[in-house]
Every structure is written in structure tokens, then in C-alpha cells.
Amino acid sequence: MPIRAAFVLAALALATAQPAAAATQRFTVLANGEKVGHLVAEHAGRTASVDYAVDNNGRGPKAKEQIRFDAAGMPVSWTIEGSSLFGSLVSERFTWADGQAEWTSQADQGRQPAAKPVLYVGNDVSPWMLGVYVKALLKAPGRTLPVLPAGGMKLTEVRKITVGEGKAAVPLTVYELAGIDLSPDYVLVDSKGELFGVGGGRLIREGYEAHAPQLEAMQREISIQRAEDAARKLAHRFDGPVRIRNVRIYDPETLTVGAPSEVVVFRDRIAGVAPMGAATPVRAGETLIDGQGGVLMPGLHDMHAHSSFSSNLFNLAAGVTAVRDQGNDNDALLAMMEGLRTGRLIGPRIVRNGFLEGRSPFSARNGRIADSLPQALDHVRWYADHGYWQVKIYNSFNPDWVAPVAAEAKRLGLGVSGHVPAFSSPDRVIRDGYDDIAHINQLMLGWILDPKEDTRTPLRLTGMARGKDLDLKSERVQATVRLMKERGTALDTTAMILERLMLSRSGQVQAGDAPYLDHAPIGYQRYRKRSFVTINTPQDDADYQAGFRKVLEVVKMLDDAGIQLLPGTDDGTGFSSHREMELYVQAGIPAARALRIGTLDAERYFGRDHELGAIQRGKLADVILLDGDPTADIRNIRKVRMTMVGGVAFYPAEIYEHLSVKPFAPPPPVSKAP
């Protein structure tokens, strides 16, 4: 062999024997245009390490990952160490070796024979792994793959775009990644197949942060198109009268379910309500819906929502016909409202509240953030000019600004809702002009914590364990209750979100999730089995359990005192509204009354009860059909067969199929009168 050739071969052998130089990928995590975290991935050969941390609204996941790949790029070893959203410890493991896959996470542990590596869906992974999933799916037949622990993923190319200009221009492909969660992820990869960003710029390659608005606009276009397609597919509009027959009507005024009746709907309103046999005659061409003896009731309300195209569909499927949006991307929300108005989009009626936060290291990046009182007042005026119903004040807002901001809001015709700002108190914000307090913990923390403790942190959750010792007859508590009654201050309870957080335990399914969870995609199932609180001892567990029982005692105490309760969820699945009703009943409120709180009373709070909240001639046709009587068993609230908003019908079975959730109840029979 010639010396030169031998030298070249030796050099090549040496090069291939050396570990590949590490490629460093840096990303910025953004929220509302501001940096709230980072992700750094070091990828060398068949190994990668990831450092991921987010700090937004006083909380965020923090994790370090170590991944080892096989020759085809499939993960065969994966460790995740860190903490989840509210600080609970994360220690997750996955390995594949010798035909066996094993995993341990907060949600579960398992072992499964596998002749070759199978893609594992991590429970507490960083967004970097979405890029790994995309690479694996691009090599798969039909771009679909089975995954562990169960289920499958599907990858669909959505569009191609270019970010940047000139030498900095990066051609990108946008993919929809479905099968993990209740909604798909959108992943952007460059021409080399490497991750560039996720979603509407919430994670973006470092150095390209200025292009996040372009990605947000693209994401909005994709989401709107998807939502408009869903509207065309799922909305059932009728020509002429619609006669809903053989139903028993829940009356929130009398708290009773009546005898079999007929309800006639024409266009968007209820045209007639009569007992079976006494209704107007059926006419040729009418649409007939057979209720089959079910209960027809006014639609449910979620008084603490953060609307999205996904939550709109889930709420319709759950029988939620109206929500109060407690904070959102304002441009996105206004565009959504226009789509709902014109019928291009579908969803519940939305009452808009304008999110108003103060500047601090703990600020929530949402709505509007004020650096000064004049700026806060200007934000209030912007919300007034854009037709918002209330402003919602948040944790980092300066307590001294609340009174002048509330006064300006009231002058302009807006109400005031919100958290209790850190270092303030429920009594003070009520006196300063709050119409309602958002979250039962925001009320109770004023009785539990020292005023000097900082509720901008996860303490606003973890501190609730101290509630176990709260004396509800104490003057501190009763003085607030008297003040609420005197001022007519309501409480947006969100009891179910407190249950979901305080009673979350690794590997366990909560009572509120058990009725539906096995119908959902595997990623969401596992997410709901995570712990959001740190349980180090049996006493920690007992304290949170007792603390939540006290939450329900407060719900009952306030209802007994005549305080208006506003059932909210701070969630977007619709299932949570069912759980909120169940918890009211668990607290000791009769089911029929809980249903009135969630229907007519909510509309009275909005001042729309002359149009909505009961099934009466002339009112808007916002109704739901249940397979069972929820006044006899509140769990029947989950058996929604039809939802109607303004006379447009939606069948939950169709919506859930569209959302890749197994349906729960069939739609009612629908026919045309001969």
C-alpha cells in the first residue's frame, strides 16, 4: 500500500475512533415576548445532555436530561432529574437493552419486551425532545410510530417558511406532532433536521428572538385554520324550527326537574316550552331531536377560563356554553371573538376580562404588565375601549395601586376581579373595589399566612396545607365574610384546581379525573398522574388532605352566608367544570342548588339573566341534553349528549372523536318530520 494511502486510512480510523465534537444548541423560552427561561442542549455523537429551566409567574420546570441514542437515533437510555412546575422532585428513567424496555416516572413504571428500541414519551421532558420525536417519525413508514408506555404518534407537514434574511435566513419546515396530549404540538426544524423552535415562538433558537412575533402570527394562522375546519365539521345548523322532544327540564328557579316536555328552538332562541301532548303540532320539515327521557338544562358556566381554540371545543363537549376569560393574549382573544361572532369559529360565549399585572421578578407574562400607576391606569382605559367586562389584577400588582385602578375601572363601566396582590389582604382589596376574588386559596391565604409572606411564589399553593388548622368561626375569618356580604363581593372558587394540585400524588389518578382519563391520549393520562406538591412524609400528605377538606368547608360556609359563588376551573378541558359541580355537592351544597350556581346565578352575575340561564320562551337557546338527572346524582352532569349555543347544536361524541378522545355518550336521534 502506498505510504500516502496508508496515512489517509490511519487518519480516518483515528478520526472515527475519537468522540464527535459536541454541537451546542441554545434556545430561549419566551412568554408574551419576554424571556422566561433557557434550554441548552449538548449533542455529541450518540449522547446528548439538556439543561432546561423556566421561571414565569413564580414557578416553572427545571430539569437536566441525559440521553443516549442507538445508531438510528432512537433513545435507548434517558434520565431526567429536576423539579416540575410547582417544585415537586422529578427523577425519571428509561432504558432499552437486550430486547427489554423499562421506565420509571412520576406517573408510572413499567417493563415491556421490545425486539428493537421503541420511542418513549417522557413525562417530564424538555421541549428539546420534540425534535427527537420528529427525527424518529421522519424515518418511520407513514410518519407514524407506536410509543411507550402506550398509544402512538403521528407527524404531518404543515408548511415551509423562512425566518431571517440574507445570510441569517433559515429555511424551516413546520410539523404537527399529534398523539401525545389533548392538543397537537407544532415543531419547527431546519434543513438539517435540527430543532429550531416550538409552537408560536415560545421556544426559539437563541439569536432569533426578534422573529418570535412572525412565528406567533404563523401559529395563529395554523390554529385559526384548524379551528375553522373544526367549525365546519362539528357545528349543526338548522333551517326552520327544531323540536327537542321527550325531555325533562331542569328549572333553576324552582330547583326541580319537570315532567316530559318539548322545547321548540327557532334560529337562536327558544320559541316554545310545553308538556308532552300540549305542545304545538309537529309540522313537515321540522328537525326532531329525541331526548329519550333525558334532562334538558341551561348550559354550564366556567367563570375562570383562559380561552383557546382547543378549550372552546372541550367546553362545548362538556356542556359549557359560557365562560369568563380571566386573562389571555389580547390580540388573539379579540380575533377569536370576531370569529365566534361571524360563525367561522365555534365555542361558548366569552365574557372578556383584561389581565393586569405589576412588574416584578415573579410577574406573569400575560395581558398587560404595568411599571407605574399611570401606566396601569392607561391599561385600564385600553381594556375599556376594547369592550372588556372587568379587569383582573394579579399577584405582583402594587397593593397601593388597587384603589385608584378600581376607581378608574368603575368610572369607565368595568368591574374588578383578581388575585390578592402579594403583601395585601382580602379585606383590603374588597374595600379597594374588588367585585370578586379569583381562587378560593387567594381568599383563604389571607386567613392562613403571615401578611409578610410572599404569595408571588408557589407558597400560594403550598401554604394551603396550613389551612388544616383554620378556625372558620374565628373573628379573622368572619370579619372577611361580613365584609364580602356587605359589599356584595363574590368568590370565583376554582376548588377543583386546588384539589388537582393539593391532592396530586405520583402515579395516582385523582377522583376528579377517574371518570374520563382512560379516554384521553397517553401523554395527558400520564400528566394527570404527576405530583405538583412535594410529599416527604406521611404528615405532609395528611396536611394537604386536611387542608383541602378545609377548602370545601369554606365553600359551604360562604354559600350558607349568602356569598355568591362563581364556579371556575382555570383549566381548559371541560371535564374540570363537571368536577367543580361535584365538589360543590361534596362540600354539602344540594345538587339542584349547585346547578343553579353554575347556570342561572352565573348569568345573574353577568347581568344577562333576562336572556340566558333558564329554559324559557324568548331566551337564547343555550341548553344541554344529559343522559340522566344531575339533581339526583351530580355525576350525571358528565353524560352530555348534545350542547346547543344560540340554536347551533354540537354533539360531544363527534367533538371528542375530532380531538382523539374516546366518546362517552352517543348523540340523540335526529330526524326530519315527514
Side-chain angles (χ1 to χ4, degrees):
M1 179 181 294
I3 293 176
R4 180 176 178 82
F7 177 80
V8 170
L9 288 174
L12 286 171
L14 180 63
T16 55
Q18 300 297 318
T24 302
Q25 301 175 339
R26 299 181 184 276
F27 301 87
T28 300
V29 183
L30 297 172
N32 203 21
E34 298 188 17
K35 181 177 179 178
V36 296
H38 70 266
L39 190 156
V40 180
E42 301 278 355
H43 197 176
R46 295 186 184 181
T47 64
S49 61
V50 178
D51 176 20
Y52 175 57
V54 176
D55 190 357
N56 184 22
N57 192 12
R59 62 198 185 202
K62 295 167 180 63
K64 294 185 183 298
E65 298 174 71
Q66 298 291 330
I67 309 102
R68 185 166 55 85
F69 303 91
D70 69 1
M74 191 74 79
V76 293
S77 174
W78 193 347
T79 64
I80 309 165
E81 299 286 345
S83 57
S84 64
L85 179 67
F86 285 97
S88 64
L89 294 179
V90 170
S91 183
E92 187 169 353
R93 301 281 187 278
F94 168 79
T95 60
W96 176 88
D98 300 325
Q100 192 77 29
E102 296 185 46
W103 63 92
T104 301
S105 74
Q106 277 206 61
D108 52 14
Q109 58 184 10
R111 174 183 296 181
Q112 184 169 310
K116 58 183 181 179
V118 181
L119 198 60
Y120 171 73
V121 177
N123 199 41
D124 283 283
V125 295
S126 71
W128 191 78
M129 293 309 296
L130 294 174
V132 174
Y133 299 155
V134 169
K135 287 181 180 180
L137 286 159
L138 285 172
K139 299 175 184 177
R143 294 184 176 177
T144 62
L145 278 174
V147 297
L148 291 175
M153 277 190 204
K154 180 179 180 181
L155 190 70
T156 304
E157 183 176 324
V158 177
R159 65 174 63 178
K160 293 185 182 296
I161 63 170
T162 298
V163 170
E165 298 177 352
K167 293 182 179 179
V170 181
L172 300 172
T173 304
V174 183
Y175 291 104
E176 179 184 277
L177 181 61
I180 303 175
D181 209 338
L182 295 178
S183 299
D185 287 293
Y186 291 91
V187 186
L188 294 80
V189 301
D190 64 20
S191 57
K192 297 179 181 178
E194 297 298 328
L195 181 68
F196 182 88
V198 174
R202 70 178 188 270
L203 180 83
I204 191 168
R205 188 174 290 176
E206 189 176 80
Y208 289 85
E209 292 87 349
H211 298 282
Q214 175 189 349
L215 301 186
E216 289 175 10
M218 176 208 67
Q219 178 72 59
R220 194 170 299 157
E221 286 178 17
I222 294 171
S223 298
I224 289 173
Q225 184 60 59
R226 195 167 184 268
E228 290 178 349
D229 291 344
R232 286 188 287 270
K233 174 182 175 183
L234 300 171
H236 296 267
R237 294 179 169 86
F238 306 101
D239 296 324
V242 177
R243 191 176 298 266
I244 307 171
R245 313 182 77 185
N246 192 18
V247 291
R248 295 171 295 145
I249 298 171
Y250 164 71
D251 184 347
E253 295 276 14
T254 63
L255 304 181
T256 59
V257 171
S261 300
E262 289 189 2
V263 175
V264 178
V265 173
F266 182 64
R267 295 180 180 161
D268 64 342
R269 293 189 180 266
I270 297 169
V273 181
M276 290 288 289
T280 55
V282 176
R283 303 178 193 281
E286 282 185 356
T287 298
L288 305 178
I289 298 177
D290 186 356
Q292 297 180 312
V295 169
L296 196 72
M297 63 173 283
L300 295 172
H301 291 60
D302 185 346
M303 302 296 278
H304 194 124
H306 298 281
S307 301
S308 67
F309 297 120
S310 173
S311 72
N312 284 349
L313 298 184
F314 277 104
N315 277 322
L316 289 176
V320 176
T321 59
V323 302
R324 179 175 66 157
D325 189 294
Q326 282 279 58
N328 218 312
D329 177 298
N330 291 312
D331 291 339
L333 183 61
L334 290 172
M336 180 188 292
M337 296 290 293
E338 180 62 15
L340 292 170
R341 185 188 69 80
T342 60
R344 292 184 295 106
L345 301 175
I346 56 176
R349 300 180 191 275
I350 299 175
V351 173
R352 286 171 286 139
N353 280 8
F355 192 92
L356 188 54
E357 172 70 303
R359 179 71 63 185
S360 87
F362 304 96
S363 297
R365 274 69 171 190
N366 197 7
R368 295 295 182 96
I369 302 176
D371 295 293
S372 65
L373 176 57
Q375 190 177 49
L377 294 170
D378 189 59
H379 291 331
V380 172
R381 293 164 191 144
W382 186 93
Y383 282 128
D385 288 343
H386 288 80
Y388 283 69
W389 190 63
Q390 290 179 316
V391 293
K392 178 197 175 185
I393 292 171
Y394 210 65
N395 295 317
S396 292
F397 203 75
N398 188 324
D400 293 336
W401 299 351
V402 172
V405 160
E408 180 67 359
K410 300 291 176 69
R411 183 183 75 83
L412 296 170
L414 281 75
V416 181
S417 174
H419 289 206
V420 176
F423 314 115
S424 186
S425 70
D427 293 34
R428 180 178 178 183
V429 298
I430 293 168
R431 290 192 177 97
D432 283 347
Y434 271 35
D435 297 294
D436 65 80
I437 292 174
H439 303 297
I440 195 167
N441 60 314
Q442 292 287 319
L443 174 68
M444 293 177 64
L445 289 171
W447 305 328
I448 296 169
L449 300 183
D450 184 289
K452 296 179 181 178
E453 293 185 277
D454 193 345
T455 54
R456 296 173 298 178
T457 70
L459 180 64
R460 63 183 182 266
L461 163 65
T462 59
M464 290 297 292
R466 302 186 210 170
K468 64 185 177 64
D469 300 319
L470 183 63
D471 179 4
L472 299 188
K473 296 181 180 179
S474 67
E475 178 57 23
R476 186 177 188 180
V477 171
Q478 290 303 314
T480 304
V481 176
R482 289 195 300 270
L483 183 61
M484 293 178 77
K485 193 166 185 179
E486 173 190 324
R487 300 293 182 94
T489 309
L491 176 68
D492 162 10
T493 49
T494 65
M496 61 74 48
I497 207 70
L498 269 294
E499 178 190 45
R500 176 166 282 175
L501 297 174
M502 295 174 71
L503 303 190
S504 61
R505 300 293 183 268
S506 295
Q508 297 181 19
V509 178
Q510 292 192 36
D513 296 320
Y516 72 87
L517 196 59
D518 62 351
H519 288 239
I522 186 63
Y524 187 77
Q525 290 186 39
R526 301 182 78 217
Y527 180 79
R528 287 273 65 95
K529 297 177 186 177
R530 304 163 87 195
S531 179
F532 292 96
V533 293
T534 301
I535 304 295
N536 292 321
T537 68
Q539 188 60 53
D540 291 338
D541 175 62
D543 288 350
Y544 277 113
Q545 297 279 354
F548 184 69
R549 288 194 294 272
K550 191 66 68 171
V551 167
L552 297 185
E553 290 177 30
V554 172
V555 169
K556 183 63 164 64
M557 175 193 71
L558 294 174
D559 186 60
D560 288 345
I563 305 301
Q564 179 159 11
L565 303 179
L566 307 174
T569 69
D570 203 8
D571 184 60
T573 66
F575 305 120
S576 45
S577 289
H578 302 153
R579 186 56 179 170
E580 189 77 357
M581 292 288 93
E582 290 173 347
L583 289 176
Y584 278 27
V585 175
Q586 191 174 317
I589 299 173
R593 174 165 170 70
L595 293 169
R596 182 172 75 188
I597 293 171
T599 56
L600 180 59
D601 285 355
E603 286 298 339
R604 285 172 171 162
Y605 191 69
F606 287 148
R608 305 187 309 195
D609 51 300
H610 62 291
E611 291 269 60
L612 291 157
I615 298 175
Q616 297 170 356
R617 175 177 165 80
K619 289 195 172 184
L620 290 164
D622 288 15
V623 302
I624 61 176
L625 175 64
L626 304 176
D627 185 16
D629 182 355
T631 66
D633 185 343
I634 193 62
R635 292 174 297 181
N636 286 327
I637 198 68
R638 296 181 180 271
K639 300 177 181 179
V640 185
R641 300 184 67 187
M642 179 184 72
T643 299
M644 188 174 274
V645 179
V648 180
F650 306 93
Y651 305 123
E654 295 180 353
I655 296 175
Y656 285 131
E657 285 181 358
H658 175 78
L659 294 168
S660 300
V661 173
K662 288 186 290 186
F664 300 86
V670 181
S671 62
K672 281 284 190 180

